[in-house]
Amino acid sequence: RGLTDISLLEHFIHLRYVDLSKNKLKDLAPLSSLTQLLWLKVDRNLLTSASMQDLPYLQVISFDRNHIVDFEGITHPLLANLSLKENKIETVLGLSHDHLFSLQVLELRGNKLNTTAGLGLSKLKKLYLAKNTICSLEGLEEFEQLEILHLRDNKLEALDGFSASMKCLQYLNLRSNGIKSFQEVGKLQVLPMLQALVLMDNPCAQEPDYRLQVLSQLPWLQRLDKETVEEEEREEAEKIRQTRKEKEK
């Protein structure tokens, strides 16, 4: 609707669900009086900051497709789902581990992050980081409850940084990065619960016997790329693994 002023909303103190998407808002200060708010969507506005006064019951916020540069002022204690897709975030500056202790889902696709450092919130279960410029994986030992990690379309060439403390990670998407060797894939052996891995559109996926080579490194996978692992594949991969062991001896 092209709205630039939402000061009238200050009077509707019992509002719980508010959608202000596709306007021209630069300031969310009038929402500070909506202390009963549970759900807020302000996609496609002109916001450069997500800063707001703490809202005690707010659980879901979407700030997609704005011009936000950092996490300053996002400190809602019950916030469980935060989406900042396609903004201009280069740094985790302002990400408050002390305040965002309820956050379980963090969506940061299409920003300008170059590392994962500082994102390890204690209860985080799903983290979406596709289409950034991430070239190094840091601080992953903090992701003790993370179940899903999306890193598609980044700049990763090495898979250092994964940690055995990531004992809940089940799904990992590494599509369209720069991973060349199966030796790098072998570094994922520290992930005890990994069931589904996406590696297509990496240089290593062009190698002969690609699937068998990956499965020889990660024999417990249930799904590789879009296909379920067949028992015959598993047996063939085991032979490759045994042969490699013999050579190493």
Side-chain angles (χ1 to χ4, degrees):
R1 294 181 177 271
L3 295 175
T4 58
D5 182 357
I6 54 170
S7 55
L8 275 173
L9 289 179
E10 290 176 340
H11 306 294
F12 296 91
I13 60 173
H14 297 294
L15 280 174
R16 296 195 177 192
Y17 300 88
V18 173
D19 188 346
L20 292 162
S21 300
K22 298 183 182 177
N23 283 289
K24 296 180 179 179
L25 301 177
K26 295 181 180 180
D27 178 25
L28 299 178
L31 300 180
S32 61
S33 61
L34 306 186
T35 56
Q36 306 301 305
L37 201 62
L38 300 175
W39 184 95
L40 175 63
K41 191 175 175 73
V42 283
D43 300 347
R44 295 181 185 271
N45 277 280
L46 302 175
L47 299 168
T48 56
S49 171
S51 184
M52 295 168 62
Q53 185 172 314
D54 281 10
L55 293 171
Y57 303 112
L58 190 58
Q59 295 169 32
V60 177
I61 311 180
S62 180
F63 289 112
D64 294 350
R65 300 179 180 90
N66 279 277
H67 307 287
I68 295 165
V69 297
D70 58 32
F71 292 89
E72 287 290 350
I74 306 176
T75 54
H76 315 287
L78 291 186
L79 191 64
N81 191 319
L82 172 61
S83 185
L84 287 155
K85 186 163 46 179
E86 294 181 35
N87 277 279
K88 300 181 183 300
I89 297 171
E90 296 182 21
T91 171
V92 296
L93 188 70
L95 186 62
S96 174
H97 293 66
D98 294 335
H99 292 88
L100 294 177
F101 45 75
S102 300
L103 198 66
Q104 295 186 19
V105 181
L106 180 55
E107 166 65 87
L108 291 168
R109 269 180 277 205
N111 279 281
K112 298 180 178 181
L113 290 167
N114 57 27
T115 178
T116 54
L119 290 169
L121 295 151
S122 62
K123 291 189 179 176
L124 204 61
K125 292 187 176 179
K126 298 177 182 179
L127 178 58
Y128 300 95
L129 293 169
K131 296 185 179 179
N132 277 273
T133 56
I134 294 170
C135 54
S136 67
L137 299 171
E138 300 171 84
L140 297 187
E141 64 279 355
E142 297 173 30
F143 293 114
E144 293 185 6
Q145 295 193 36
L146 198 69
E147 297 172 1
I148 293 174
L149 178 56
H150 271 251
L151 287 161
R152 178 178 175 171
D153 288 303
N154 276 285
K155 307 290 184 186
L156 292 169
E157 295 184 3
L159 295 177
D160 300 305
F162 285 98
S163 167
S165 65
M166 302 176 79
K167 50 188 180 293
C168 296
L169 192 68
Q170 298 176 30
Y171 178 92
L172 176 61
N173 191 327
L174 292 166
R175 183 174 181 173
S176 298
N177 277 276
I179 300 157
K180 296 175 183 175
S181 77
F182 296 115
Q183 189 175 347
E184 292 301 319
V185 177
K187 293 174 183 177
L188 301 178
Q189 291 172 2
V190 298
L191 302 172
M193 294 297 289
L194 189 64
Q195 295 179 17
L197 174 65
V198 183
L199 266 177
M200 61 176 67
D201 301 328
N202 277 276
C204 66
Q206 307 304 315
E207 295 294 324
D209 295 330
Y210 152 68
R211 284 180 65 85
L212 295 179
Q213 290 291 344
V214 172
L215 292 171
S216 73
Q217 298 276 6
L218 307 169
W220 56 85
L221 282 182
Q222 301 298 310
R223 196 167 84 246
L224 177 57
D225 297 332
K226 295 181 179 179
E227 295 177 27
T228 302
V229 176
E230 302 293 338
E231 198 54 43
E232 289 179 8
E233 280 186 305
R234 213 178 288 284
E235 290 171 4
E236 286 296 313
E238 180 58 26
K239 290 177 185 175
I240 292 173
R241 194 157 72 96
Q242 293 300 334
T243 302
R244 187 167 61 242
K245 274 186 177 179
E246 290 298 320
K247 285 181 180 177
E248 286 170 359
K249 284 179 183 177

